[in-house]
């Protein structure tokens, strides 16, 4: 049985039928990593001895008649999650020796579901990039083109999935960090609704692993099929047992429809603040064609859509003010001088980011109040629509660019240069209001690189974009291996 690119659902069925053992699956995955990861550098912290032990334990449990949603299935975990005894560095050199004593809550949930953890996947420095490289573990390459990024900050996880290193991975998303690697590597990812999935133990090495409700940031599943996203989300979802879990349980609403013909979808492929490459627009167009072919009602514009330009500005304000609070980028005096040099009429996203570095609590509260207005706008929108389909990023995977000043980098969009972090406008469409978003493969660019699209759904109705992703996978096909 060739299991390199099998889905978790397929592996679970094979394990239940006795066609393969977890020990065999685990040895196959370890051997594949040994053959191919030297050129990719996706698995930065292998944990093969404990994986073998866990696989043998899974086989013994199955022999006793036990089962679990992931019993015996090999998976990987993003480096930023605490795993007892393994390094958690976030790619920060001064923390290369940090080894937490306890598992993150999501690692515990994987183990309780029976998963076999092969090891950890690479991340950018501080998770603060849409690429994956750092001075602790080096650079991770895209399996489709080793000269290009796999994305970030869950780039190691996406590269591992595309290369056949385990059936599932868990990552995190603040600036599209689940979705952009999925888009660049041709796999699937789901950014859950804000607050749906507990994140305790997914914290920087110098921060205690305490329960928290981070703004914008979520943790979520990555896979090679849409159905596997649902399988893994069901393992991950639910409140932290130390806080809301004391009083509350979780019951996600069912998907609004189970056939494409029931869905009402707004399709967008252009943003008012940044161009979208022809290759990505073509991918979104293929998704739109599949929706129409399946009988969905598809429109290209609606007055109900909350203002995307204002949304992008709010997202940058909330993102940058929060990020700078965690990872200072310089002295206030230098930043104040740069802001003072801006023209009062400069409303570019670059100027927005600079100003947000100096946000006061009052400034943040104002931005948060505007966010609540956008959330109310989305609630009205989703009375008439079930989903939005739009790009994840404006381009396919771009060549590695490791200039030490990210704020001064640029991104090439069909031959024109734009500020590097402007490319997050599409990611922020779902992140700013906290909506769920599922990244799906949408074919290949003319250069043979994967492109994807994201399906944005109503708040806490995560099963709706996930179901639409599953239906599109049936209609269009889904993951295809590199090469």
């Amino acid at each position: 049985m060739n299991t390199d690119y099998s889905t978790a659902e397929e592996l679970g069925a094979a394990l239940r039928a006795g066609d393969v053992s977890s020990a065999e699956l685990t040895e196959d995955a370890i051997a594949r990593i040994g053959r191919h990861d030297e050129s990719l550098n996706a698995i930065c912290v292998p944990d093969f001895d404990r994986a073998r032990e866990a696989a043998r334990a899974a086989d013994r449990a199955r022999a006793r008649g036990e089962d679990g949603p992931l019993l015996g299935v090999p998976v990987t975990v993003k480096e930023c999650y605490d795993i007892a005894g393994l390094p958690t560095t976030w790619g920060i050199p001064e923390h290369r020796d940090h080894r937490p004593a306890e598992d993150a809550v999501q690692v515990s949930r994987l183990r309780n579901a029976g998963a076999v953890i092969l090891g950890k996947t690479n991340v950018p420095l501080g998770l603060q990039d849409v690429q994956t490289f750092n001075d602790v573990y080096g650079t991770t390459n895209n399996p489709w083109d080793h000269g290009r990024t796999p994305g970030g900050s869950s780039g190691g996880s996406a590269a591992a999935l595309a290369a056949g290193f385990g059936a599932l991975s868990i990552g995190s998303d603040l600036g599209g960090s689940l979705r952009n690697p999925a888009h660049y590597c041709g796999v699937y990812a789901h950014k859950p609704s804000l607050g749906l999935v507990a994140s305790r133990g997914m914290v920087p090495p110098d921060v205690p692993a305490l329960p928290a409700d981070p703004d914008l940031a979520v943790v979520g599943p990555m896979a090679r099929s849409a159905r596997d996203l649902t399988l893994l989300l069901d393992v991950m979802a639910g409140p932290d047992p130390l806080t809301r879990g004391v009083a509350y349980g979780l019951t996600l609403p069912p998907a609004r429809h189970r056939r494409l013909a029931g869905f009402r979808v707004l399709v967008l492929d252009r943003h008012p603040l940044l161009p979208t490459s022809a290759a990505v627009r073509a991918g979104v167009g293929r998704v739109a064609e599949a929706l129409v072919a399946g009988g969905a009602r598809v429109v290209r514009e609606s007055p109900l859509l909350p203002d995307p330009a204002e949304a992008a500005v709010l997202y940058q304000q909330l993102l940058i003010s929060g990020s700078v609070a965690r990872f200072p980028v310089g002295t206030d005096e230098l930043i104040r001088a740069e802001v003072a040099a801006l023209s009062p009429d400069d409303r570019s996203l670059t100027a927005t980011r600079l100003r947000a570095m100096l946000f006061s609590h009052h400034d943040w509260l104002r931005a948060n109040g505007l966010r609540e207005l956008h959330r109310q706008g989305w609630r009205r929108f989703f009375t008439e629509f079930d989903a939005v389909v739009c790009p994840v990023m404006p381009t396919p995977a771009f060549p590695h660019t490791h200039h030490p000043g990210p704020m001064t980098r640029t991104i090439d969009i069909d031959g024109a240069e734009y500020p590097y972090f402007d490319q997050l406008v599409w990611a922020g469409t779902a992140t700013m209001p906290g909506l769920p978003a599922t990244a799906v493969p949408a074919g290949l660019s003319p250069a043979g690189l994967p492109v994807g699209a994201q399906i944005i759904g109503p708040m806490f109705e995560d099963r709706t974009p996930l179901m639409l992703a599953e239906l599109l996978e049936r209609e269009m096909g889904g993951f295809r291996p590199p090469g």
Side-chain angles (χ1 to χ4, degrees):
M1 179 181 181
N2 188 338
T3 59
D4 291 344
Y5 292 109
S6 296
T7 67
E9 185 179 46
E10 291 166 344
L11 293 181
L15 287 162
R16 291 183 186 96
D19 295 335
V20 70
S21 69
S22 179
E24 291 170 324
L25 291 179
T26 301
E27 288 299 338
D28 286 349
I30 291 171
R32 183 168 179 82
I33 292 167
R35 290 193 303 272
H36 300 290
D37 198 41
E38 184 175 357
S39 63
L40 294 179
N41 192 34
I43 309 297
C44 61
V45 184
D47 197 22
F48 296 156
D49 289 343
R50 290 198 295 187
R52 290 183 173 107
E53 182 182 339
R56 292 191 293 269
D59 288 334
R60 291 193 297 270
R62 195 171 293 282
R64 295 192 297 268
E66 298 177 19
D67 200 0
L70 301 177
L71 184 61
V73 176
V75 306
T76 60
V77 171
K78 188 175 179 179
E79 198 270 359
C80 54
Y81 286 87
D82 286 351
I83 297 182
L86 296 184
T88 299
T89 72
W90 286 44
I92 303 170
E94 53 264 42
H95 298 302
R96 66 172 69 243
D97 295 323
H98 175 68
R99 284 171 167 76
E102 295 182 356
D103 288 344
V105 65
Q106 292 304 331
V107 172
S108 296
R109 287 177 179 177
L110 283 178
R111 294 196 198 280
N112 291 339
V116 173
I117 298 173
L118 297 167
K120 289 185 156 195
T121 58
N122 202 14
V123 297
L125 175 67
L127 314 189
Q128 299 289 295
D129 205 343
V130 296
Q131 300 177 77
T132 296
F133 67 96
N134 61 75
D135 288 340
V136 180
Y137 303 119
T139 299
T140 298
N141 298 320
N142 191 310
W144 289 82
D145 180 341
H146 293 181
R148 295 176 184 267
T149 181
S153 61
S154 306
S157 288
L161 287 167
F165 303 165
L168 301 168
S169 195
I170 59 173
S172 60
D173 193 305
L174 173 65
S177 291
L178 284 159
R179 292 163 287 160
N180 83 61
H183 160 74
Y184 289 153
C185 293
V187 298
Y188 290 81
H190 181 68
K191 185 200 87 66
S193 297
L194 184 65
L196 179 67
V197 181
S199 62
R200 176 165 47 90
M202 207 291 290
V203 291
D206 57 348
V207 175
L210 301 175
D213 294 313
D215 189 38
L216 301 175
V218 300
V219 298
M222 305 182 77
R224 287 191 294 266
S225 80
R227 287 174 64 86
D228 275 1
L229 288 180
T230 298
L231 174 68
L232 184 49
L233 181 66
D234 284 345
V235 169
M236 299 179 73
D240 192 313
L242 297 184
T243 54
R244 290 184 176 88
V246 174
Y248 299 111
L250 174 69
T251 304
L252 281 175
R256 291 187 174 189
H257 311 285
R258 302 193 66 83
R259 297 171 56 248
L260 283 177
F263 280 90
R264 304 160 298 171
V265 183
L266 174 65
V267 174
L268 305 173
D269 65 3
R270 286 174 169 80
H271 196 280
L273 299 185
L274 189 74
T276 304
S277 70
V280 170
R281 292 200 311 273
V284 173
R286 287 189 288 271
V287 174
E289 291 169 3
L291 289 168
V292 171
R297 181 170 73 85
V298 173
V299 300
R300 291 282 187 163
E301 58 182 20
S302 170
L304 292 175
L305 180 71
D307 181 0
E310 183 179 64
V313 169
L314 285 173
Y315 172 61
Q316 295 278 343
Q317 290 174 335
L318 294 165
L319 173 70
I320 297 301
S321 60
S323 296
V324 169
R326 292 191 300 273
F327 299 101
V329 296
T331 66
D332 280 359
E333 290 76 12
L334 291 175
I335 298 171
R336 289 183 193 282
E338 290 188 66
V339 171
L342 294 172
S343 165
D345 298 326
D346 188 346
R347 299 299 177 207
S348 67
L349 291 177
T350 297
T352 295
R353 286 187 289 272
L354 277 171
R355 293 183 179 114
M357 290 180 187
L358 298 176
F359 259 31
S360 65
H361 189 217
H362 175 83
D363 295 328
W364 187 90
L365 287 173
R366 178 182 177 279
N368 187 52
L370 290 173
R371 170 168 50 184
E372 291 302 330
L373 292 175
H374 273 254
R375 285 175 171 156
Q376 179 61 17
W378 280 110
R379 284 189 280 270
R380 288 193 295 268
F381 175 89
F382 283 119
T383 64
E384 299 293 330
F385 291 90
D386 302 305
V388 172
V389 168
C390 64
V392 176
M393 299 291 277
T395 69
F398 54 88
H400 297 295
T401 173
H402 294 176
H403 188 282
M407 291 293 189
T408 64
R409 295 181 197 154
T410 59
I411 182 72
D412 182 300
I413 304 176
D414 288 346
E417 299 295 320
Y418 297 88
Y420 185 73
F421 284 115
D422 282 12
Q423 62 186 311
L424 299 185
V425 293
W426 287 115
T429 304
T431 301
M432 186 274 290
L435 301 174
T438 306
V440 300
L444 301 180
S445 73
L449 297 170
V451 294
Q454 63 178 329
I455 305 165
I456 301 173
M459 188 78 163
F460 293 120
E461 293 190 46
D462 291 56
R463 296 200 190 281
T464 291
L466 286 166
M467 175 56 69
L468 187 49
E470 182 180 334
L471 296 170
L472 284 167
E473 184 176 13
R474 295 178 197 169
E475 188 77 19
M476 300 176 65
F479 168 78
R480 64 180 80 180

